[in-house]
């Protein structure tokens, strides 16, 4: 589904990613771990099309076509979703309007008819329950004054509403309480397990904690260090990292 | 002959056509005001209050007296405007090019103790009342346009709400301007008197047919001001103890016109006044709002937004004087400036020495969307008392890049994402409108206009009203 080859990315002249390779197949869950500042969010943002980052070399293919030439919104419509590490507050734009506009923009892109307010709300409410979000948060401005955990739930709600093909969750687990973590994991798992193989969804989980991986079982775990992936393995790699930290990789890298 | 002299000539030629031209009390007021205008002349940029607002176009125009329109045209206004483009109102006074039009107006049953008429009629019927109140609050000595309006006043609105009267639904004062062969000038005048504990809501609405007819799709850039009309309006408000008034102003003139308005409010003990002012159209719009809190516990809240593009110019000058202890004032104004638009905001608050325990705050936020857009914002606090709470803030910024990214990353295209952020910015003021009917109407007007300015999907106001689309829920 996603193929990243030799990706080099700069921000304001500083190279953050240098030669990153990653391949994610349909239906797979990949966990990416790595120390602060190693470039995890950079990777996530570049995939979503953030314009602050310049790709200086390499390629990214999404379902066979060049992702890098698509605009931010086209990528979203093609099925890329990024749950932000720090969700943005948008004063004056109501959450429910935001969700409806986003969904209808994507439906329009796929030449589907737009949902009317009634249908949309009905359907939205089931999703809201799934992530255990207070319904009143729908009527507040997007993320404005939301608690850290509420913002993260809101990201997952957006994912459930937009049903992307590839969801990139950037530290969605941080800031969630124990119950919320379970709920969010449940939501993600429900999202992940769709029956028809054609619709199989992939997930990239950026996290610092092994705990999340108890609830969402990854197929692969990668260690990102200094802008490239230095080690890949199965779920046991996460346990090992939890034990020993990144010291051994830092040594190897230097 | 300069513009000021031309306007005076217009006065001497037409004074015999003004309402009450043979009433000495009124001609006395007019003559004094005329004198004052002749002395003051039109403001120049050297005048501190007009530093950023040039009157070049206005000074070049040659204005004539606005004539009454024939009945077929009036009938078409009823069809095209009142039935389609306006919210439902129980009490509506309609003016066409400054003249009250009875057939377009409706005044339903009002509570006993309320007088609501056109000013022209009030001059005939309530001369005694008017002679002691008209011009007593609107001080023209330092404001030439108020002097000019006072010299030329002839029609407008007179409202008196006696003690304890309450009018439940908004009174809609609609000033329609139509295309005219020659440049014309209108001088609407509103005199609003609320006795003790009276309560009401009044909407002052300026609507230009030219702005509507173009389907709101006209390009705002490169105008060559062919027919440059002027509306010079003055509103006087007196709030007796415990009276309460919600005042709305919606200025939606065409980009050919100048709109120069001043509102003067005197607030007595524990009265409350809320102003919601939206300035959308006009080549040049100037709004002076002057509030005097003359007795204790009075409160005023001023909210507003201005949206300009092309070469439009908007200027808000607010002045709140705290003259007694324990009064409150709050202001929030937001501006969206596209293209080469220019906005001026000057918020003056004067806390006199006797006005202890005053609380005053003021906020002005501006979004600059055009590379050549400009804003001059200036809070001006003069505080002569020591026990006061005052704050002020002014910001000028662009759209939040991270928020733009966020919206787009959910599938919303860039243009729509920008629109949403701008709408969101303005909606923080819009949601302060309590009255749901007015909130929806003003929101639609603003959204339609913003969409147009952004060059996005142009939906006419009419279309938006019929579908209710674009209404942001406010909670
Ligand atoms: N907008 C920016 N301007 C300047 N430097 C940036 C910017 N964004 C990221 N960087 C730098 O790029 C490096 C990688 O940042 P990134 O956010 O990708 O790290 P991360 O792996 O997600 O870290 P964390 O675990 O703390 O979230 C950091 O050194 C960071 O300071
Ligand atoms: Mg990060």
């Amino acid at each position: 589904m996603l193929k990243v080859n030799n990706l080099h990315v700069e921000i304001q002249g500083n190279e953050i990613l240098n030669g990153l390779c990653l391949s994610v197949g349909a239906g797979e869950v990949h966990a990416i771990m790595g120390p602060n500042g190693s470039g995890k969010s950079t990777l996530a943002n570049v995939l979503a099309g953030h314009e602050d980052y310049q790709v200086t070399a390499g390629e990214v293919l999404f379902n066979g076509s060049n992702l890098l030439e698509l605009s931010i919104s086209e990528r979203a419509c093609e099925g890329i979703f990024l749950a932000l590490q720090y969700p943005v507050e948008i004063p004056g734009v109501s959450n429910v309007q935001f969700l409806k506009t986003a969904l209808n923009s994507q439906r329009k892109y796929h030449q589907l008819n737009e949902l009317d307010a009634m249908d949309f709300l009905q359907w939205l409410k089931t999703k809201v329950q799934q992530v255990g979000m207070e319904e009143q948060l729908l009527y507040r401005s997007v993320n404005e004054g939301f608690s850290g955990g509420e913002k993260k739930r809101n990201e997952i709600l957006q994912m459930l509403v937009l049903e992307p093909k590839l969801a990139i969750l950037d530290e969605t687990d941080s800031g969630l309480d124990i119950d919320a973590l379970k709920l969010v994991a449940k939501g993600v798992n429900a999202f992940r397990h769709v029956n028809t193989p054609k619709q199989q969804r992939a997930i990239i989980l950026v996290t610092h904690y092994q705990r999340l991986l108890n609830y969402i079982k990854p197929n692969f775990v990668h260690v990102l260090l200094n802008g490239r992936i230095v080690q890949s393995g199965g779920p046991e790699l996460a346990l090992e990292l939890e034990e020993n930290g990144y010291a051994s990789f830092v040594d190897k890298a230097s | 002959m300069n513009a000021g002299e031309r306007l005076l000539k217009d006065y001497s030629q037409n004074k015999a056509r003004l309402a009450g031209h043979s009433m000495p009390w009124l001609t006395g007021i007019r003559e004094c005001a005329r004198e004052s205008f002749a002395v003051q002349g039109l403001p120049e940029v050297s005048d501190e209050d007009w530093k950023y607002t040039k009157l070049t176009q206005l000074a070049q125009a040659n204005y004539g007296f606005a004539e009454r329109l024939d009945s077929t045209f009036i009938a078409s206004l009823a069809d095209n405007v009142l039935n389609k483009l306006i919210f439902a109102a129980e009490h509506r006074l309609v003016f066409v090019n400054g003249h009250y039009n009875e057939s377009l107006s409706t005044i339903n049953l009002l509570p006993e103790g309320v007088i609501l008429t056109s000013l022209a009629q009030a001059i005939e019927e309530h001369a005694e009342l008017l002679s002691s109140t008209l011009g007593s609050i609107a001080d023209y000595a330092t404001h030439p346009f108020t002097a000019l309006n006072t010299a030329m006043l002839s029609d407008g609105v007179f409202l008196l709400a006696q003690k304890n009267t309450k009018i439940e639904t908004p009174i809609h004062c609609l000033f329609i301007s139509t295309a005219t062969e020659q440049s014309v000038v209108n001088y609407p005048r509103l005199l609003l008197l609320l006795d003790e504990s009276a309560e009401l809501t009044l909407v002052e609405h300026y609507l230009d047919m030219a702005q509507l007819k173009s389907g709101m799709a006209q390009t705002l850039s490169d105008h060559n001001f062919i027919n440059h009309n002027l509306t010079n309006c003055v509103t006087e408000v007196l709030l007796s103890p415990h009276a309460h008034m919600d005042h709305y102003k919606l200025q939606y003139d065409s980009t050919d016109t100048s709109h120069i308005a001043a509102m003067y409010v005197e607030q007595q003990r524990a009265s409350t006044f809320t102003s919601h002012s939206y300035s959308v159209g006009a080549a040049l719009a100037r709004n002076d709002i002057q509030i005097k809190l003359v007795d204790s516990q009075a409160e005023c809240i001023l909210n507003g937004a201005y949206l300009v593009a092309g070469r439009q110019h908007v200027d808000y000058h607010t002045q709140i004087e705290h003259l007694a202890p324990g009064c409150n004032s709050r202001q929030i104004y937001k501006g969206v400036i596209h293209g080469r638009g220019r906005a001026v905001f000057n918020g003056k608050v004067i806390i006199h020495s006797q006005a202890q325990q005053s609380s005053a705050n003021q906020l002005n936020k501006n979004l600059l969307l055009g590379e050549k857009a400009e804003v001059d914002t200036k809070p001006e606090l003069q505080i002569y008392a020591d026990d006061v709470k005052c704050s002020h803030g002014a910001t000028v910024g662009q759209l939040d890049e991270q928020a733009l990214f966020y919206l787009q990353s959910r599938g919303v295209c860039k243009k729509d994402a920008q629109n949403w952020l701008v709408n969101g910015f303005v909606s923080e003021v819009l949601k302060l409108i309590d009255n749901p009917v007015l909130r929806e109407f003003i929101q639609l007007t603003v959204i339609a206009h913003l969409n147009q300015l952004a060059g996005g999907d142009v939906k006419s106001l009419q279309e938006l009203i019929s579908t209710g689309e674009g209404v942001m829920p406010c909670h």
Side-chain angles (χ1 to χ4, degrees):
Chain A
M1 176 178 286
L2 179 77
K3 270 202 159 49
V4 181
N5 289 323
N6 186 35
L7 188 65
H8 287 254
V9 172
E10 279 183 6
I11 180 157
Q12 288 162 1
N14 299 323
E15 182 154 78
I16 309 292
L17 298 183
N18 54 57
L20 186 136
C21 299
L22 179 68
S23 177
V24 178
E28 294 175 356
V29 175
H30 290 242
I32 296 183
M33 304 180 81
N36 295 136
S38 56
K40 304 180 298 296
S41 296
T42 302
L43 173 65
N45 277 309
V46 166
L47 294 177
H50 200 298
E51 284 153 352
D52 282 355
Y53 302 85
Q54 288 93 48
V55 175
T56 52
E59 63 168 1
V60 180
L61 299 175
F62 185 60
N63 290 328
S65 46
N66 180 1
L67 184 69
L68 298 178
E69 69 187 13
L70 300 183
S71 71
I72 307 167
S73 58
E74 285 167 345
R75 293 179 199 205
C77 294
E78 287 295 331
I80 297 228
F81 178 87
L82 167 61
L84 295 184
Q85 183 174 358
Y86 304 109
V88 184
E89 301 193 356
I90 309 184
V93 175
S94 95
N95 212 12
V96 65
Q97 282 279 340
F98 171 61
L99 285 162
K100 181 164 165 268
T101 307
L103 180 66
N104 278 334
S105 301
Q106 298 206 8
R107 289 181 67 91
K108 217 161 125 188
Y109 179 88
H110 294 291
Q111 286 160 4
L112 297 168
N113 64 320
E114 298 183 25
L115 292 186
D116 69 32
M118 289 298 277
D119 291 345
F120 175 71
L121 213 58
Q122 282 283 317
W123 181 71
L124 179 61
K125 287 191 175 163
T126 63
K127 306 281 175 187
V128 171
Q129 277 163 8
Q130 239 178 312
V131 293
M133 200 167 99
E134 294 280 345
E135 229 173 76
Q136 50 112 346
L137 291 181
L138 288 175
Y139 301 101
R140 300 233 311 251
S141 292
V142 180
N143 292 329
E144 196 182 37
F146 285 26
S147 75
E150 286 168 345
K151 284 182 183 168
K152 295 303 176 84
R153 287 186 216 211
N154 203 22
E155 294 292 285
I156 295 304
L157 174 66
Q158 290 167 25
M159 180 188 80
L160 296 178
V161 166
L162 298 173
E163 302 182 313
K165 295 186 181 119
L166 171 65
I168 305 161
L169 310 183
D170 192 357
E171 295 197 28
T172 300
D173 52 337
S174 55
L176 288 178
D177 66 45
I178 302 160
D179 295 333
L181 184 72
K182 285 185 192 162
L183 260 176
V184 162
K186 222 169 116 194
V188 172
N189 284 325
F191 161 80
R192 178 183 177 187
H193 298 299
V194 273
N195 297 328
T196 52
K198 234 188 105 193
Q199 289 187 327
Q200 284 216 324
R201 294 167 180 152
I203 298 170
I204 296 176
L205 285 177
V206 173
T207 184
H208 285 296
Y209 307 106
Q210 198 276 331
R211 194 183 50 191
L212 176 71
L213 307 180
N214 290 335
Y215 301 112
I216 307 172
K217 281 266 166 283
N219 303 92
F220 300 94
V221 175
H222 308 278
V223 179
L224 180 60
L225 192 76
N226 296 334
R228 62 168 74 181
I229 286 171
V230 295
Q231 174 103 26
S232 300
E236 71 288 347
L237 180 56
L239 289 166
E240 196 187 313
L241 289 170
E242 183 95 342
E243 259 328 271
N244 306 322
Y246 298 107
S248 61
F249 299 103
V250 175
D251 291 345
K252 249 185 258 170
S254 56
Chain B
M1 212 188 308
N2 67 26
E5 289 160 351
R6 282 198 298 276
L7 287 163
L8 283 175
K9 189 170 147 240
D10 188 40
Y11 169 80
S12 42
Q13 278 173 353
N14 292 298
K15 64 181 175 187
R17 300 168 66 183
L18 302 178
H21 57 89
S22 54
M23 298 178 165
W25 68 270
L26 189 53
T27 44
I29 290 175
R30 284 191 180 126
E31 282 299 329
C32 289
R34 192 203 71 85
E35 275 293 319
S36 171
F37 178 74
V39 172
Q40 294 182 68
L42 282 179
E44 311 260 339
V45 283
S46 54
D47 181 342
E48 189 58 31
D49 281 342
W50 293 84
K51 194 167 158 188
Y52 300 108
T53 298
K54 279 199 197 83
L55 299 172
T56 332
Q57 274 130 9
L58 193 149
Q60 283 161 3
N62 197 359
Y63 298 112
F65 196 79
E67 302 293 337
R68 282 175 199 276
L69 294 173
D70 65 33
S71 55
T72 41
F73 194 88
I74 297 288
S76 86
L77 280 182
D79 283 349
N80 292 317
V81 180
L82 299 188
N83 300 338
K84 289 192 185 125
L85 289 164
I86 304 295
F87 54 93
E90 269 178 57
H91 313 294
R92 175 176 291 133
L93 286 84
V94 182
F95 300 80
V96 182
N97 295 339
H99 303 290
Y100 180 64
N101 188 287
E102 197 167 352
S103 66
L104 293 176
S105 304
T106 19
I107 299 177
N108 275 316
L109 194 65
L110 289 163
E112 207 167 317
V114 174
I115 301 172
L116 175 64
T117 68
S118 74
L119 187 71
Q121 192 181 340
I123 287 170
E124 301 294 334
E125 292 173 9
H126 305 283
E128 208 162 312
L129 255 173
L130 258 70
S131 63
S132 60
T133 49
L134 186 66
S136 63
I137 300 155
D139 175 20
Y140 56 68
T142 55
H143 198 315
F145 284 102
T146 300
L148 184 61
N149 174 285
T150 307
M152 295 297 285
L153 66 85
S154 182
D155 214 342
V157 178
F158 174 66
L159 170 71
L160 171 68
Q162 282 174 0
K163 191 169 171 178
N164 294 328
T165 48
K166 291 182 176 44
I167 303 175
E168 301 293 337
T169 61
I171 298 165
H172 186 207
C173 306
L174 177 62
F175 297 88
I176 299 174
S177 2
T178 66
T180 45
E181 270 169 36
Q182 193 213 338
S183 295
V184 296
V185 52
N186 298 313
Y187 299 101
R189 178 80 171 215
L190 291 83
L191 178 61
L192 314 170
L193 309 171
L194 278 67
D195 281 352
E196 222 175 302
S197 302
E199 277 177 32
L200 59 89
T201 298
L202 184 133
V203 185
E204 217 179 307
H205 187 176
Y206 296 88
L207 183 65
D208 195 319
M209 292 306 291
Q211 182 76 341
L212 288 174
K213 226 184 277 162
S214 58
M216 319 211 354
Q218 94 195 110
T219 49
L220 289 158
S221 51
D222 304 325
H223 249 281
N224 43 4
F225 307 103
I226 304 163
N227 201 349
H228 191 71
N229 294 342
L230 168 65
T231 297
N232 172 20
C233 48
V234 171
T235 302
E236 284 184 274
V237 180
L238 176 64
L239 299 181
S240 300
H242 297 279
H244 173 77
M245 177 164 170
D246 279 331
H247 181 270
Y248 290 80
K249 164 141 180 203
L250 186 57
Q251 183 270 114
Y252 197 69
D253 286 304
S254 89
T255 48
D256 288 327
T257 57
S258 294
H259 180 96
I260 298 190
M263 173 159 71
Y264 300 83
V265 184
E266 181 177 313
Q267 287 189 244
Q268 297 178 350
R269 187 168 43 81
S271 62
T272 52
F273 179 71
T274 309
S275 153
H276 302 270
S277 177
Y278 288 83
S279 182
V280 175
L284 167 68
R286 162 86 178 211
N287 280 290
D288 281 64
I289 300 175
Q290 299 202 3
I291 315 264
K292 285 194 168 121
L293 304 168
V294 298
D295 206 346
S296 59
Q297 314 302 326
E299 180 179 70
C300 74
I301 296 170
L302 310 182
N303 301 320
Y306 42 88
L307 320 168
V308 291
R311 287 175 176 276
Q312 283 181 285
H313 184 109
V314 63
D315 179 346
Y316 269 84
H317 265 66
T318 66
Q319 176 177 316
I320 301 173
E321 276 190 81
H322 286 249
L323 292 146
C327 294
N328 262 323
S329 67
R330 275 184 281 156
Q331 308 182 55
I332 299 184
Y333 286 88
K334 290 205 165 191
V336 178
I337 304 117
H338 279 269
R340 293 163 153 271
R342 179 131 191 226
V344 179
F345 180 82
N346 193 100
K348 191 189 274 187
V349 175
I350 307 170
I351 310 221
H352 291 263
S353 56
Q354 68 276 24
Q356 299 293 358
Q357 284 108 41
S358 289
S359 149
N361 53 58
Q362 181 187 125
L363 186 61
N364 174 231
K365 288 186 171 183
N366 296 279
L367 252 188
L368 286 186
L369 297 179
E371 271 177 34
K372 300 217 161 136
E374 251 188 271
V375 61
D376 293 286
T377 171
K378 184 166 143 217
E380 221 185 311
L381 268 61
Q382 298 176 19
I383 302 173
Y384 305 103
D386 41 29
D387 180 15
V388 299
K389 279 200 200 106
C390 290
S391 70
H392 63 85
T395 63
V396 178
Q398 269 107 33
L399 289 177
D400 176 357
E401 290 294 329
Q402 198 57 22
L404 268 180
F405 167 70
Y406 191 50
L407 281 166
Q408 291 177 83
S409 77
R410 299 307 182 241
V412 181
C413 73
K414 190 164 186 172
K415 206 160 220 167
D416 288 352
Q418 285 168 339
N419 275 351
W420 273 100
L421 292 185
V422 176
N423 289 352
F425 175 79
V426 179
S427 81
E428 286 188 294
V429 183
L430 288 166
K431 74 181 177 194
L432 300 172
I433 300 176
D434 287 331
N435 183 299
V437 175
L438 296 175
R439 182 171 63 225
E440 181 168 328
F441 181 76
I442 295 173
Q443 265 181 359
L444 289 171
T445 304
V446 166
I447 289 170
H449 195 71
L450 285 173
N451 288 349
Q452 175 201 351
L453 295 185
D457 267 358
V458 177
K459 286 198 174 134
S460 69
L461 187 56
Q462 194 173 333
E463 210 179 319
L464 283 168
I465 288 174
S466 63
T467 61
E469 206 183 301
V471 181
M472 292 170 280
C474 289
H475 288 266

